[in-house]
Amino acid sequence: MSIFEQITHHQMDEISTVNQCIKSDRRPKKRDLVSGVILDEAGLPIVLPTVVDCRQQLMRHWAKNQYLAPEGTARFNTAVTELVFGRALSDAFCSQLITLQAPGGTGALRLAFDFYASSLNGRRLWVGTPSWPNYQQIATAAGVEMVNFPQQTTVTQWLCALEQAQPYDAVLFQAGANNPTGMMLDTEDWHKIADLCRRKQLLPILDNASQGLGQDIEKDAEGIRIMAQSCPELIVASSFSKNFMLYNERVGAVSVKTSVPVFATQAKEELRTIIRANYSSPASFGSAIVAEILGDPQLYQKWLVDLVAVRVMLAKRRDSLLAALDNRCKESSSDVQRYGLFIQLNLSSQIIRDLREKDGIYLLDNGRLSLASLWQHDIARITTIINCRNFLNTNPCNISVYNK
Ligand SMILES: Cc1ncc(COP(=O)(O)O)c(C=O)c1O
């Protein structure tokens, strides 16, 4: 018997599974509305002008052929701390705040969950649904039990669900626009969440996946800053894949705020040890781009302008899609203002399956559609198909008309 016979099949997360189907679909009109890679109107991945300029400048004198420390560079980590927490809080908590570079947002989440499980003896992580499907896989790999609570209801209702959480349980919140619903919490909601976490001694873990692509760079971090002021301890996992469009450079960061300075020193050592045992040290070029842009006032302002253009483009796509979609395909609370890369449609799993199999249009099972890859000139065609599928699902006798 081969030792390999013991391999048991582990289910990949839904996004990876659907991506494989999309790749093997040979139909020319197939449409990938799953990917979060932001495409322009010609269907090409957008590169931000500021990032292009900065990359070229850095390339001119790039001679850093050496390992970085496990935590990355101080320049990157300081700049990220300020971006995430703002200058005032970064100064106020300077001895209680640490940031370490991580391989993308996924790597940052994995470091956060590993740290929670192995260094803090944490056991349970509460995650609101619907949410990003990969949380489950990362939590399982870190040995943390994931408990779901419904997040589509009002904040008061989900706070009620979180009353079941026990002291030292961790709770994951998405800091900016929610993936998939596009909802953003308001100031009052964040205060309520912070109060509950403090009262019940829960550890907040904030997923900061696309700061600057929701409302704006400051508003998207409001929740993190309210929580940091109110809760003695918290962890933030940041991704720079989408807001710098550095998807394959794998740039992210994990930040920890502790109640007293000595815990910050210890947390940093623990995280360095976890990194050392995993990938030893992070990659340098992508993080150098991020550090350069965040650290140079002129580049920073240019980058903010780049982000405005992307937000405007995504908002236009959202508006056009909603205007063309049949009301029954929209979420019931579609009057709430939503932001960011994703929109959740109200479609049955049968319709989602038909869209994939019969029309080559790929959405996630929960109805998540990525605006990042929905270019304007295809919206009329896509919405006509979705509206028809929805109509046929409720009026199946008309199928022959559609198939003509
Ligand atoms: C909500 C959310 N969190 C985290 C991540 C991970 O980010 P990264 O691509 O940098 O690993 C993503 C990526 O799509 C995401 O959508």
Side-chain angles (χ1 to χ4, degrees), residues 15 35-37 103-109 131-135 138 172 174 177-180 207-210 237-242 246-247 250-252 341-342 368:
I15 298 180
S35 168
V37 174
T106 308
L109 285 165
S131 66
W132 188 50
N134 203 18
Y135 292 135
I138 307 171
L172 187 135
Q174 293 192 3
N178 180 276
N179 170 1
D207 182 8
N208 186 28
S210 50
S238 299
S239 164
F240 301 108
S241 303
K242 299 191 177 72
L246 289 171
Y247 312 94
R250 311 308 297 139
V251 200
L341 278 73
F342 302 105
R368 188 190 89 170

Side-chain angles (χ1 to χ4, degrees), residues 190-204:
W190 280 115
H191 279 291
K192 286 185 193 159
I193 291 170
D195 288 348
L196 178 113
C197 289
R198 196 183 52 238
R199 176 169 56 80
K200 291 200 63 84
Q201 289 183 276
L202 308 178
L203 176 71

